[in-house]
Amino acid sequence: MLASIKTNSFTNEGQKLGMMYFRVAIILFGAQLLMGLIAAFQFLVPGFLFELFDFSVARMVHINALIVWMLYAMIGSVYMMITDETGVETVGIKLGKLGFWVLTAAVTVVVLVYIFVQVGSGTEASIWLIHEGREYIEAPRWADIGIVVVVLIFYYNVFASYMAGKQTGIMTVMVANLMALAGLYLAGMFFTDNISMDQFWWWWVIHLWVEATWEVFVGTLAAYALIKLIGAKREIVEMWLWIEVLMLFGSGILGLGHHYFWIGTPEYWWEIGALFSSLEPVPLIAMFVHVLYDWGKEQGEAHGRGEEGNVVTNSPAMAWIVTNAFGNFLGAGVWGFFHTLPQVNIYTHGTQFTAAHGHLSFFGAYATILIGMMYYGVQKAHGVEKMKMNFNSKMGIFLITFGVLGMTVALTIAGYEQVLVERAELGGTWNAFFVAQELPWYIQAQLWRTIMGVVTLVGFIYLVWDLLTIGKKNKAQQI
Amino acid sequence: MAKKNVSVWTSIPFWRRSAAWVTGFAVILLIWLSFDTLGQISMGTDEDLKAGTTKRVPAPTVINYKITYEMNKQRGSEIPIIGGKDANGTSSFEEKELFFGKEWTEEEAADLLHLGKLTSQAKNCMNCHTLLGNGAYFAPDLTKSWLDPAWDTKGVMVSMISSMLPSKLVERIEAGKAVSDEDNQLIKDMKIDIANGKMLTKEEAMAIFLRFPSSYPTHERMMPELAITADEAKGLVAFLKHMSSIDTNGFPRNFSKSVDQFKVGGSNAR
């Protein structure tokens, strides 16, 4: 099995480096699931690891592992496509590899400090060395600076290759979008005593990442993947990509307003946030239609030419990308729209509703397509012409998707209980919180969330097993 | 590609230009709105409070004032009331109250808030609690926690903490473990207060709770001890009191209703 990790038939250095990023990403994905399970279990048995490994620690590692594995997989995906798109070997690849090791060493230290140091004293030193205590961007300041340096190296790789080679529409969007994505991180790198100011800028990072630049990133990846996996025509894919950019940025940038309803910011954000964030599902529908339409069209044309079989050259990757089209629309679009209007959000803000949306949207919009790219990487690593799903791939995608959907439904029910009882009925006080948390239906929902978390973990084990073995199996069949 | 496009709707340059224009427009509008918002949410000054100027985020010296959260007919939602209500139902900035037994100067209050905000991040509050509704959902929202009926001087928390030593700290002392002079003093002082039947103030009770939360359990789910010092605890309470004075456009809604119910009926527990 370990031999299969080393096997590679990559034709360029960028893809080798991309695969290195994928390997770390999948390990961090596993860490995310384990930490999530600990945190979920603590809802049911509050004494579990109390004052030893508290909920706050498990939850911090859970969401940080999520963000970091996704960034790793995103960077990996870009390295996968640089040479394909530009036609030149990645410029400055040695520096890129050095960046990988620096980043990985830093991430390891950060995680160990999270787990073993946990909290610091109320001093600047804690913010610099332990963590910043700001949800999602907890990384301590020293690591922030390290991340910026490594991202600059990565950006240099992408930008220099883009300038040296072909400048396709896909790469143009990628280069512009990555600049925005990287630049936004700077908005989260300062301390202020003013909690409203703090959250104002915090959302510039979180929202403008996950609801704007990351979504455009996904659109770009999907465009590339459709060309590679089903032979979609570049003109059509790139036209769609520009339409997606238009709609995603057109709605997503000002959609930021839906985070400014209750943090001290003025009331006009109600209207701005409501209007633009309500439009956010529109591009997600477009992306969904685009993926399925192109697939049907290519398949139909192939049949018309009298070709037999499937046009898909990598069926597990394609399965994950179709799941992405569904999941992005459902998790980010539908579950996001559920509570995006201020009239609704005043009751749902800060309840398990948000957690339900968070789970399905991060999974549906990002995890899916990044896993798809990992399968694409495996295909390249083994030089497989046509990769086919097997039992493990199917179990992986089915159990993970089913598990995350189950968690989402359970958390939605928990959120519904909370909204009605804690918020609407009792007004969100300390006592109201505990009354809602102790409702039998709330507890039942938390139990189902935990069970579905275990289902997801089992699916993850199938997924990892499959990623490690599918290339070799397919290669053997090919010969 | 040589073929001329038959329609503008399938023209890549058209969509590329449109994407650039729409994105540019959205970015410019966002930046313009952000400038306006940043002005409105910048922290007020002590002068503002003295002059009776309402700011969305008041100065740190707001900790010297009485704060409540009340329904405002005009806004249609609850708003923070600082220093009592005037005839229009908005803050009159008149009624003050001591905070940890004193009135804080501008500089002292700013330092205390700074310590509190730093501590709130260093202790990772946000990964169990929500602040302004953002964070994790394992523990109650802290936005208006300063005003929570549970912490009313007649409420369950203040009376429990006024009559009970922090058991975890007592255990540590009895087991012969080294504790700080500060902690030894705390136990001595608390013993005297308990013997005299003295009730702690809300802020004193909160500060002791923050330091030894698992010594005062109310539910199976408890807050862990996070090695918070006495000064840090004071800072945290100031941070919470300051946060309760921020105008959150009526979030959390109906919070004041629970406060009123508590005042007439004693408890809204069921």
Side-chain angles (χ1 to χ4, degrees):
Chain A
M1 193 177 87
L2 278 175
S4 77
I5 295 181
K6 286 182 188 151
T7 319
N8 79 64
S9 317
F10 286 123
T11 49
N12 64 69
E13 289 298 309
Q15 294 193 330
K16 276 186 203 163
L17 179 54
M19 201 61 182
M20 285 155 73
Y21 272 102
F22 284 163
R23 284 178 201 136
V24 179
I26 203 86
I27 293 169
L28 288 167
F29 185 15
Q32 185 210 344
L33 296 184
L34 282 177
M35 291 295 154
L37 276 179
I38 293 174
F41 193 65
Q42 284 170 331
F43 264 101
L44 298 169
V45 184
F48 182 63
L49 300 178
F50 183 68
E51 292 187 340
L52 198 67
F53 197 80
D54 288 308
F55 180 89
S56 54
V57 182
R59 208 273 189 163
M60 171 167 63
V61 185
H62 175 61
I63 59 175
N64 270 229
L66 158 83
I67 297 287
V68 178
W69 90 250
M70 289 193 168
L71 287 174
Y72 261 76
M74 285 161 77
I75 294 174
S77 305
V78 176
Y79 279 121
M80 280 287 155
M81 62 191 270
I82 290 178
T83 301
D84 265 359
E85 282 294 302
T86 60
V88 296
E89 186 63 73
T90 308
V91 177
I93 189 74
K94 283 215 171 110
L95 201 58
K97 284 188 178 165
L98 178 71
F100 166 82
W101 289 111
V102 171
L103 187 61
T104 306
V107 167
T108 312
V109 173
V110 168
V111 172
L112 290 177
V113 169
Y114 282 174
I115 291 176
F116 293 105
V117 183
Q118 300 184 354
V119 289
S121 58
T123 53
E124 300 272 353
S126 299
I127 306 287
W128 275 90
L129 302 174
I130 302 170
H131 61 71
E132 289 192 40
R134 296 168 81 202
E135 195 190 6
Y136 294 113
I137 47 174
E138 283 98 344
R141 192 66 47 79
W142 74 265
D144 280 347
I145 294 167
I147 289 167
V148 170
V149 171
V150 173
V151 167
L152 282 176
I153 295 174
F154 161 68
Y155 194 71
Y156 161 72
N157 287 159
V158 181
F159 188 75
S161 310
Y162 171 76
M163 294 310 283
K166 265 201 317 268
Q167 291 163 6
T168 62
I170 289 180
M171 275 314 271
T172 307
V173 175
M174 183 58 89
V175 164
N177 186 51
L178 279 177
M179 176 137 67
L181 200 160
L184 284 168
Y185 191 71
L186 301 175
M189 281 177 57
F190 67 97
F191 175 84
T192 162
D193 293 338
N194 183 340
I195 182 79
S196 294
M197 198 63 93
D198 178 317
Q199 295 202 350
F200 180 88
W201 289 112
W202 178 69
W203 281 119
W204 268 61
V205 188
I206 311 299
H207 173 96
L208 293 177
W209 267 11
V210 299
E211 292 179 57
T213 49
W214 284 29
E215 283 286 1
V216 168
F217 187 93
V218 164
T220 319
L221 274 193
Y224 171 76
L226 289 177
I227 293 174
K228 291 289 154 184
L229 302 183
I230 57 173
K233 289 185 187 51
R234 184 174 284 274
E235 302 95 278
I236 294 176
V237 165
E238 289 194 343
M239 185 187 83
W240 264 106
L241 180 58
W242 286 112
I243 298 175
E244 284 164 14
V245 171
L246 184 159
M247 294 197 291
L248 285 167
F249 278 154
S251 62
I253 290 173
L254 287 163
L256 175 59
H258 68 175
H259 300 290
Y260 292 165
F261 294 161
W262 325 115
I263 63 164
T265 36
E267 282 166 333
Y268 56 71
W269 288 107
W270 284 348
E271 284 81 12
I272 305 264
L275 173 63
F276 287 95
S277 68
S278 299
L279 293 172
E280 281 183 42
V282 177
L284 307 179
I285 299 170
M287 288 159 90
F288 173 68
V289 172
H290 166 48
V291 169
L292 291 189
Y293 177 81
D294 268 28
W295 186 13
K297 178 174 159 291
E298 293 304 326
Q299 188 70 59
E301 283 179 2
H303 280 185
R305 288 191 299 269
E307 290 167 23
E308 281 185 25
N310 203 322
V311 284
V312 176
T313 56
N314 184 335
S315 67
M318 190 62 191
W320 278 104
I321 284 163
V322 172
T323 309
N324 172 260
F326 268 108
N328 202 353
F329 169 63
L330 207 60
V334 177
W335 252 263
F337 183 72
F338 270 173
H339 55 152
T340 199
L341 297 177
Q343 294 84 344
V344 176
N345 193 259
I346 193 161
Y347 295 111
T348 56
H349 181 49
T351 64
Q352 298 291 346
F353 241 101
T354 322
H357 165 53
H359 279 77
L360 194 57
S361 58
F362 268 114
F363 170 73
Y366 306 115
T368 44
I369 196 162
L370 294 171
I371 296 171
M373 288 303 291
M374 289 180 190
Y375 272 107
Y376 177 70
V378 169
Q379 181 185 17
K380 293 284 144 187
H382 291 269
V384 178
E385 274 166 30
K386 209 159 187 169
M387 197 148 91
K388 285 206 181 83
M389 286 186 111
N390 57 46
F391 179 74
N392 288 347
S393 344
K394 287 175 191 165
M395 284 303 277
I397 190 168
F398 172 74
L399 288 177
I400 294 178
T401 308
F402 183 71
V404 176
L405 268 175
M407 283 195 280
T408 304
V409 170
L411 287 170
T412 306
I413 293 169
Y416 197 72
E417 296 289 321
Q418 241 187 316
V419 166
L420 292 184
V421 177
E422 177 194 330
R423 292 302 181 70
E425 194 184 351
L426 297 174
T429 56
W430 177 85
N431 184 61
F433 176 83
F434 281 108
V435 170
Q437 297 292 312
E438 287 166 358
L439 287 172
W441 281 349
Y442 180 93
I443 295 169
Q444 192 185 35
Q446 289 289 357
L447 174 66
W448 276 103
R449 186 271 284 272
T450 312
I451 293 169
M452 286 299 166
V454 175
V455 171
T456 311
L457 182 70
V458 175
F460 172 77
I461 294 165
Y462 272 108
L463 171 72
V464 175
W465 186 251
D466 194 44
L467 284 170
L468 289 173
T469 54
I470 191 171
K472 208 173 171 186
K473 275 187 209 161
N474 272 270
K475 187 76 185 165
Q477 280 164 8
Q478 194 170 300
I479 301 161
Chain B
M1 287 298 270
K3 199 168 54 184
K4 198 169 168 284
N5 267 317
V6 286
S7 161
V8 68
W9 300 108
T10 54
S11 148
I12 289 182
F14 169 75
W15 288 112
R16 188 169 51 217
R17 270 199 299 272
S18 305
W21 276 104
V22 168
T23 305
F25 179 73
V27 169
I28 288 168
L29 195 54
L30 176 65
I31 290 173
W32 180 63
L33 289 169
S34 291
F35 270 111
D36 181 76
T37 297
L38 289 173
Q40 293 203 43
I41 64 171
S42 62
M43 208 181 276
T45 60
D46 196 40
E47 300 306 310
D48 291 327
L49 286 171
K50 282 179 182 148
T53 311
T54 303
K55 294 286 289 183
R56 300 191 68 92
V57 183
T61 39
V62 77
I63 59 175
N64 293 324
Y65 291 80
K66 183 188 171 200
I67 299 167
T68 53
Y69 186 56
E70 292 173 42
M71 181 53 83
N72 180 287
K73 288 244 169 66
Q74 209 181 348
R75 292 272 296 269
S77 68
E78 292 139 289
I79 57 165
I81 300 288
I82 299 160
K85 241 188 320 197
D86 62 11
N88 302 324
T90 54
S91 304
S92 69
F93 303 97
E94 276 165 5
E95 211 175 322
K96 288 195 173 180
E97 64 186 19
L98 297 178
F99 188 69
F100 286 104
K102 64 180 250 190
E103 177 158 356
W104 296 68
T105 66
E106 212 176 333
E107 204 179 322
E108 286 171 342
D111 287 348
L112 193 64
L113 180 66
H114 177 68
L115 175 64
K117 174 67 169 28
L118 263 180
T119 308
S120 77
Q121 289 184 222
K123 302 300 176 185
N124 211 355
C125 303
M126 204 181 186
N127 267 312
C128 283
H129 293 276
T130 43
L131 289 84
L132 303 177
N134 293 312
Y137 320 110
F138 194 65
D141 182 55
L142 296 179
T143 310
K144 303 289 173 192
S145 58
W146 169 256
L147 307 170
D148 202 292
W151 287 100
D152 190 277
T153 39
K154 289 180 223 127
V156 45
M157 299 305 285
V158 175
S159 51
M160 171 165 65
I161 296 161
S162 298
S163 58
M164 259 170 71
L165 294 173
S167 53
K168 293 264 174 95
L169 178 59
V170 174
E171 277 167 32
R172 246 170 280 160
I173 292 171
E174 281 170 359
K177 285 184 190 153
V179 296
S180 65
D181 295 345
E182 200 177 42
D183 287 348
N184 276 319
Q185 192 59 43
L186 176 78
I187 295 291
K188 273 184 208 157
D189 293 347
M190 280 186 82
K191 276 182 179 162
I192 297 167
D193 287 348
I194 291 169
N196 294 335
K198 189 191 155 210
M199 283 289 275
L200 296 169
T201 62
K202 171 154 73 168
E203 58 269 26
E204 287 165 347
M206 271 188 171
I208 292 170
F209 176 81
L210 285 169
R211 298 190 61 207
F212 308 103
S214 51
S215 296
Y216 301 101
T218 55
H219 293 81
E220 205 186 341
R221 201 186 300 171
M222 285 183 280
M223 178 172 154
E225 242 183 78
L226 297 165
I228 296 170
T229 66
D231 282 341
E232 287 170 352
K234 266 189 196 177
L236 281 174
V237 178
F239 170 68
L240 293 176
K241 184 167 182 181
H242 177 260
M243 185 157 58
S244 76
S245 74
I246 295 175
D247 185 340
T248 51
N249 292 341
F251 174 85
R253 193 171 174 83
N254 282 341
F255 191 92
S256 66
K257 200 174 74 179
S258 295
V259 175
D260 294 342
Q261 273 171 3
F262 175 84
K263 284 200 175 121
V264 275
S267 165
N268 62 354
R270 43 180 73 200

